[in-house]
Amino acid sequence: MEELDRPLSRRRLLQLTAGGVGAVALARALALADGANAALSAAAAQRASTLKMWWWGQQEAVGIQNWMNDTLKKFQQRYGVKVAATLMDTNNVIPQFTNAAAAGHPPDVQFLFNGIYHMENVWLGYLNELNSLLPASVLKSSGGTKLSVYKGKQYRVGFYSVGFGIAYNKSHFRKAGLDPNNPPKTWAQFLRACQKLKAKGYIPIGGGVKDGFLGEWYLVNALTQNLDSPADALNLFIGKLDWHNPRYYEHWSRLEELKKKGYFNDDINSLQLYQGIQLFDTGKASMCFNTTPAIPNSQKKLGAKNVGYFVMPRFGHGKMAGIPITDTQGFGIPTKGHDHATAAKLLAFMHSKERVQAMWTLSRQIPADTRFNGSVIADPLLRTIQRKWVAGKHNVYIADLMPTKFWTDAMFVASQKILAGDMTGKQAGDLAASVTQTWKRQNPDMIQNYTTWGKDLA
């Protein structure tokens, strides 16, 4: 699967699962039809001493399958239990799980995206809490993040890490008279850097917002700066904080400023996310919003010595400002899986010291587990990313809290219109407020779940 499909499908899958119209009704209908087969399938799996696992990740973290194959082989050697692992398509990994869970025959171990992508399955009763199944030390170090906790119980352990920030071309910085080893830290420094890069003939920031995902990445990097905790983001999305407050639409006003100064490519509304990133990887743009798993590819294209990475320059005054943003992929145990104890052993085995270190050795991906010893990473930039984005203090990825209606009707529309010159930051705040209130009226049952979840995030 091409990289371009990954974020698009991830948001689309939320529409197809518990958060989508009719998806749960369909799943429950399947449950009635498949109940007898479910019982037979579970019994057969139990007799065969085989765990069934559905997973995802090779599509994004290329090479992670090497680690997965080796891990399952060693698990079988140690415990005598075979794991039948299926690498799922991005469009199916969560929707198919929701349907299978409703029908009573989910896998024993399930891959889970973070935040709302798995939390709605928690609310439906399809995922088992892990506190009674795994040692507290494993849960704490696994990298599940705060977004995997509901009513004090953790429902997901981490897998590998995904950091968010801005990649930059050191050669461009040097030629524009900027210090390539000291990227901008403040908004004023960022604007000066963009000005100098533009004067040198470069596109300061390459991007593509046609599919909306640059708008999501920008919002996460920028809105986070004016928040004090992830609970603030959640409360904005459910209408308990007000988007009309200039503090909460300042990020869109800053985007408007970048647009007016001409610091993006002119065709940004005609390109999709990864097409915009290609402007950076081909040396046409000096910077781009990007994730840490993509940095090695940029190094191959531009030369390792020419690629740098930094936290979005600071303008906000929230407690979360200036701190790296990191998300993690992960795994959980379905409530109706046939063997919770052995499934828990597998998750614990994945987080053993040897397996955590092997993830880098076998796949060149950075584990979510905080016990990973990053000294094995020889590349200076990737070692810095591991220390700063993963091992160091970092913020959660607040887009994992975003209802789908807000994504499609507010964030997506606002980012496109601002970058087309058709909307101001203030108008974007008005739009966000209107969409939020509409969602609130349409989803009264969800408000209570979100409110309870927010207590764990405060």
Side-chain angles (χ1 to χ4, degrees):
M1 176 171 293
E2 294 182 0
E3 208 174 21
L4 179 62
D5 294 335
R6 203 279 302 175
L8 176 64
S9 298
R10 184 176 177 184
R11 178 51 62 167
R12 173 61 179 157
L13 67 84
L14 189 59
Q15 294 174 291
L16 297 173
T17 57
V21 177
V24 176
L26 174 61
R28 288 169 180 162
L30 289 172
L32 295 175
D34 296 343
N37 290 335
L40 291 173
S41 298
Q46 194 165 20
R47 286 196 302 271
S49 296
T50 298
L51 283 183
K52 184 166 71 171
M53 180 177 78
W54 292 351
W55 75 287
W56 182 94
Q58 176 66 18
Q59 298 92 327
E60 175 182 60
V62 177
I64 199 71
Q65 187 156 16
N66 296 330
W67 175 86
M68 182 61 74
N69 292 343
D70 190 62
T71 296
L72 300 185
K73 177 182 177 180
K74 286 182 166 59
F75 180 77
Q76 182 175 3
Q77 291 171 347
R78 176 172 297 188
Y79 294 102
V81 177
K82 181 180 179 181
V83 180
T86 302
L87 178 62
M88 304 293 286
D89 180 82
T90 313
N91 287 312
N92 295 332
V93 61
I94 301 301
Q96 191 162 325
F97 163 68
T98 301
N99 291 344
H105 53 89
D108 300 291
V109 176
Q110 171 67 35
F111 170 88
L112 299 168
F113 292 116
N114 207 0
I116 195 63
Y117 294 96
H118 77 281
M119 194 54 67
E120 289 196 341
N121 281 294
V122 171
W123 298 337
L124 286 168
Y126 296 160
L127 290 172
N128 205 80
E129 53 85 13
L130 300 179
N131 299 71
S132 62
L133 297 172
L134 286 164
S137 59
V138 172
L139 295 179
K140 182 178 180 181
S141 66
S142 73
T145 85
K146 293 179 179 179
L147 302 190
S148 295
V149 176
Y150 184 69
K151 291 185 177 180
K153 300 294 184 180
Q154 186 168 329
Y155 288 84
R156 200 184 70 115
V157 295
F159 181 17
Y160 62 87
S161 299
V162 184
F164 294 82
I166 299 176
Y168 72 102
N169 189 315
K170 290 187 173 184
S171 176
H172 287 196
F173 269 50
R174 189 178 298 108
K175 292 175 182 178
L178 299 164
D179 186 345
N181 297 315
N182 288 291
K185 294 181 176 61
T186 67
W187 191 254
Q189 292 171 355
F190 187 50
L191 293 178
R192 285 196 295 271
C194 288
Q195 182 182 28
K196 288 188 174 183
L197 291 163
K198 184 178 180 181
K200 199 66 179 177
Y202 298 123
I203 299 169
I205 309 169
V209 76
K210 183 178 180 180
D211 53 3
F213 294 96
L214 174 59
E216 176 182 321
W217 287 6
Y218 176 83
L219 179 140
V220 170
N221 280 277
L223 171 60
T224 300
Q225 296 194 26
N226 274 323
L227 305 179
D228 291 329
S229 77
D232 286 351
L234 185 147
N235 286 326
L236 275 169
F237 293 137
I238 66 173
K240 292 193 174 183
L241 289 176
D242 191 357
W243 288 102
H244 291 110
N245 186 332
R247 172 175 179 167
Y248 299 130
Y249 66 75
E250 181 182 6
H251 61 288
W252 281 317
S253 295
R254 300 289 183 173
L255 184 64
E256 178 189 359
E257 181 179 18
L258 294 174
K259 161 64 180 176
K260 287 182 175 179
K261 291 181 180 293
Y263 293 156
F264 289 104
N265 45 297
D266 292 336
D267 59 350
I268 191 168
N269 273 283
S270 300
L271 301 181
Q272 295 185 345
L273 175 69
Y274 285 100
Q275 292 174 320
I277 290 173
Q278 286 174 8
L279 294 175
F280 174 77
D281 284 342
T282 55
K284 297 176 182 178
S286 302
M287 296 179 284
C288 73
F289 289 87
N290 211 347
T291 62
T292 55
I295 295 302
N297 184 58
S298 296
Q299 291 178 318
K300 289 179 182 179
K301 298 289 181 64
L302 298 171
K305 67 178 181 180
N306 291 324
V307 179
Y309 197 69
F310 62 98
V311 176
M312 185 175 182
R314 184 169 181 163
F315 60 78
H317 301 284
K319 293 179 181 178
M320 297 174 75
I323 300 172
I325 297 165
T326 304
D327 200 9
T328 65
Q329 312 299 15
F331 287 99
I333 297 177
T335 305
K336 294 184 180 180
H338 85 274
D339 190 345
H340 288 178
T342 306
K345 284 183 180 179
L346 176 58
L347 296 187
F349 183 71
M350 288 179 173
H351 286 276
S352 63
K353 182 177 179 181
E354 187 273 334
R355 286 293 86 196
V356 169
Q357 292 302 124
M359 184 176 290
W360 173 261
T361 305
L362 296 175
S363 68
R364 291 298 189 268
Q365 291 295 331
I366 299 174
D369 198 298
T370 58
R371 293 172 296 183
F372 173 63
N373 183 353
S375 65
V376 298
I377 303 176
D379 181 273
L381 176 57
L382 296 178
R383 187 168 61 246
T384 297
I385 286 173
Q386 189 276 327
R387 290 175 178 174
K388 190 171 182 178
W389 269 261
V390 182
K393 180 180 179 182
H394 54 261
N395 291 320
V396 298
Y397 186 71
I398 62 170
D400 287 335
L401 301 167
M402 193 188 305
T404 295
K405 184 175 181 63
F406 187 91
W407 198 99
T408 56
D409 295 8
M411 183 285 300
F412 188 11
V413 174
S415 57
Q416 283 194 326
K417 287 194 172 184
I418 290 172
L419 289 171
D422 297 331
M423 180 176 280
T424 66
K426 183 179 184 304
Q427 289 171 335
D430 294 340
L431 173 65
S434 175
V435 170
T436 296
Q437 291 305 313
T438 299
W439 178 87
K440 187 175 180 179
R441 289 193 301 271
Q442 294 173 347
N443 297 275
D445 55 327
M446 293 287 285
I447 298 299
Q448 184 55 52
N449 287 331
Y450 266 96
T451 300
T452 301
W453 191 17
K455 295 177 182 177
D456 289 303
L457 301 177

